[in-house]
């Protein structure tokens, strides 16, 4: 019967099911990082309901790099005084 074929395709253990789900999730996050370079990691995290750290991990796992964003105003002022 066809339900036996479906069972063969299902993950064998809960651990495998979790890994498969995380892989799919990571791919979705990666796709958004690549397709929306204008969106900060924090905002991408909010879209998926995860922290900045999770988005950063996904980017690192896939070897994605972005240019550093603009420095906050207070940091620019401190740097000028130090020079």
């Amino acid at each position: 019967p066809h339900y036996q074929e479906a069972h063969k395709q299902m993950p064998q253990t809960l651990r495998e099911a979790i890994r498969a789900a995380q892989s799919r999730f990571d791919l979705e996050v990666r796709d958004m990082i690549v397709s929306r370079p204008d969106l900060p990691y924090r905002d991408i995290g909010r879209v998926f309901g995860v922290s900045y750290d999770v988005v950063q991990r996904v980017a690192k796992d896939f070897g994605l790099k972005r240019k550093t964003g603009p420095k906050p105003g207070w940091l620019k002022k401190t740097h000028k005084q130090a020079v």
Side-chain angles (χ1 to χ4, degrees):
H2 70 281
Y3 67 86
Q4 287 178 334
E5 291 175 22
H7 181 70
K8 287 179 187 174
Q9 294 173 353
M10 291 176 60
Q12 296 300 310
T13 65
L14 179 60
R15 181 173 290 153
E16 288 175 11
I18 292 170
R19 280 197 190 118
Q22 184 174 357
S23 293
R24 285 191 303 272
F25 174 79
D26 287 356
L27 290 172
E28 286 185 43
V29 173
R30 181 207 60 188
D31 291 346
M32 181 164 289
I33 292 170
V34 171
S35 66
R36 293 293 307 272
D38 58 312
L39 213 55
Y41 284 0
R42 289 201 192 287
D43 293 347
I44 293 172
R46 284 189 192 113
V47 168
F48 289 98
V50 297
S51 70
Y52 168 85
D53 296 327
V54 171
V55 179
Q56 201 172 32
R57 177 195 54 80
V58 171
K60 184 179 177 187
D61 288 351
F62 285 101
L64 302 176
K65 298 200 183 250
R66 285 184 167 186
K67 290 184 179 177
T68 305
K71 291 183 180 176
W74 64 268
L75 192 58
K76 289 180 186 173
K77 291 175 188 169
T78 307
H79 187 262
K80 285 181 183 175
Q81 290 174 352
V83 174

